Amino acid sequence: MATRLVSLLCLALGFQQASAATYSRTSSREGTDFLSAFEWQAIDDPTHGRVRYVDQASALNQNLTFASGNHFILRSDYTNKLDPNGAGRDSVRIQSLHQYTTATLIFNIRHMPQGCGTWPAVWTVGANWPNQGEVDILEGVNDQGPNTATLHTSSGCTMPASRSQTGNALQNDCNVAVNSNAGCGVRFTDSRSYGPTFNANGGGWYAMERRNTGIKVWFWSRNDGSVPAEVRNGATTINTSNWGTPVAFFPDTSCDIASKFGPHKIVINLTFCGDFAGAVYGQSGCPSTCNDFVNNNPSAFMDAYFDFEWLRVYQ
Ligand SMILES: *[C@@H]1O[C@H](CO)[C@@H](O)[C@H](O)[C@H]1NC(C)=O
Ligand SMILES: *[C@@H]1O[C@H](CO)[C@@H](O)[C@H](O)[C@H]1NC(C)=O
Ligand SMILES: *[C@@H]1O[C@H](CO)[C@@H](O)[C@H](O)[C@H]1NC(C)=O
């Protein structure tokens, strides 16, 4: 009798754990909060971009970082022509001090970088890459929308061909060694999810839920009537079960999320050209060559900025 009760209880608890998707807000960043929650990484771009990442003091000094009220702005330089033999365009790469495992992140973004040659990204990554995985939430190049959300892992993490998502899978093997680190990407169908069209519509909300049973990414454009009120308001508690079908769903069917993904930091960066934007520049309808364009047309980068209204974390 007692044994039966215990196993029944375990069953009930197990079921609850698998289906519970209700979380409490554990952090909320707005305006100047970002300055103490992230570090500015003045490092070389591992993806060979035409960029020079600056530290926080320089970023504030050059107004490449600006925080006030509910605006947190990250931008690249848009006034200087560059010496083709010198450093790349000044820009920023920030990384959160906190790290997260199973958490849900909501980014309320008014504006994202646009312009030929730009390669902006909002993503999360473990210290030991690729063994602790990478989740690209918002990423693209040369103003070419819509967005693509992608996982990058060590070998042994693949996605089922059929799953409950509104986006279109590009490749189902997340292994970085396959197809030059393409990862298992899911392309969105909503053109408002990226670049100039995202900006023209006032931006919107990106959310990423990471659980050991799967990773989900949602996007709602600013005036999308289907945005849940708790997302729009960044409420103190959320229930992701009510958010509808995600744009991208990466289930644990043949990917052990718990072992393929370690503790992650949030990274927000803006680079130019390099391994991705540079490689596909010719097919983007952009003028000249990528590096020449970035070197010689500073004013083309006036709109190469992120404006975050807030970032909220739920656990
Ligand atoms: C910038 O973001 C992309 C996002 O996926 C990443 O591949 C690239 O390495 C990043 N650059 C730096 C310097 O972190
Ligand atoms: C810095 O950037 C912000 C946001 O774009 C702008 O409102 C402000 O006027 C700029 N400050 C200076 C000194 O240019
Ligand atoms: C979360 O939403 C689901 C689906 O509507 C519901 O079944 C569940 O009871 C909700 N959880 C809580 C704690 O409200």
Side-chain angles (χ1 to χ4, degrees):
M1 178 70 190
T3 326
R4 184 142 180 258
L5 192 63
V6 167
S7 51
L8 271 174
L9 259 172
C10 286
L11 256 176
L13 282 173
F15 174 74
Q16 245 191 2
Q17 261 164 10
S19 64
T22 306
Y23 311 99
S24 303
R25 196 167 79 196
T26 52
S27 103
S28 174
R29 311 284 180 207
E30 197 171 301
T32 53
D33 299 337
F34 281 91
L35 301 178
S36 51
F38 284 79
E39 56 180 328
W40 272 241
Q41 300 182 293
I43 58 170
D44 285 335
D45 180 356
T47 53
H48 315 105
R50 188 79 186 112
V51 74
R52 177 171 66 184
Y53 287 127
V54 302
D55 62 22
Q56 191 188 63
S58 312
L60 289 168
N61 194 37
Q62 293 174 249
N63 211 23
L64 303 184
T65 293
F66 173 82
S68 174
N70 64 2
H71 289 271
F72 174 63
I73 294 175
L74 294 173
R75 62 158 65 251
S76 70
D77 166 70
Y78 62 95
T79 54
N80 295 299
K81 276 199 178 185
L82 307 178
D83 172 352
N85 301 311
R89 186 159 295 287
D90 283 356
S91 186
V92 288
R93 181 193 205 264
I94 66 170
Q95 175 172 281
S96 66
L97 299 177
H98 267 90
Q99 45 189 22
Y100 307 94
T101 49
T102 49
T104 295
L105 313 175
I106 308 179
F107 298 85
N108 182 350
I109 313 175
R110 290 191 188 88
H111 190 279
M112 66 173 289
Q114 68 177 73
C116 285
T118 55
W119 174 5
V122 175
W123 49 301
T124 72
V125 66
N128 178 3
W129 190 91
N131 299 314
Q132 292 182 318
E134 171 182 334
V135 181
D136 298 334
I137 301 166
L138 167 57
E139 185 184 17
V141 294
N142 304 318
D143 292 345
Q144 306 293 299
N147 185 52
T148 302
T150 308
L151 303 188
H152 300 266
T153 65
S154 56
S155 67
C157 172
T158 60
M159 292 298 132
S162 170
R163 48 199 150 123
S164 182
Q165 60 183 11
T166 63
N168 299 309
L170 301 175
Q171 174 178 299
N172 288 328
D173 196 335
C174 309
N175 180 2
V176 297
V178 172
N179 195 11
S180 313
N181 188 21
C184 48
V186 175
R187 195 164 165 84
F188 291 33
T189 56
D190 187 340
S191 63
R192 298 172 301 179
S193 60
Y194 191 82
T197 318
F198 175 91
N199 295 333
N201 287 283
W205 297 265
Y206 266 93
M208 190 271 284
E209 179 190 36
R210 174 173 157 193
R211 307 169 67 186
N212 288 333
T213 50
I215 293 171
K216 297 178 178 176
V217 179
W218 288 265
F219 166 73
W220 297 273
S221 185
R222 185 67 58 195
N223 297 314
D224 186 335
S226 71
V227 61
E230 64 196 35
V231 172
R232 191 176 60 237
N233 304 327
T236 50
T237 54
I238 56 171
N239 182 351
T240 58
S241 308
N242 299 323
W243 291 5
T245 308
V247 184
F249 178 39
F250 305 98
D252 69 343
T253 326
S254 42
C255 177
D256 182 16
I257 307 275
S259 69
K260 292 294 172 187
F261 293 84
H264 274 195
K265 292 186 169 183
I266 302 166
V267 181
I268 302 169
N269 66 346
L270 169 58
T271 187
F272 303 96
C273 309
D275 297 345
F276 185 2
V280 297
Y281 190 81
Q283 298 126 61
S284 63
C286 285
S288 178
T289 63
C290 197
N291 282 354
D292 280 350
F293 186 76
V294 171
N295 291 344
N296 297 316
N297 298 283
S299 65
F301 301 97
M302 201 175 298
D303 291 324
Y305 68 92
F306 280 107
D307 182 354
F308 291 91
E309 192 164 330
W310 46 253
L311 159 61
R312 287 183 177 152
V313 180
Y314 296 83
Q315 276 160 315

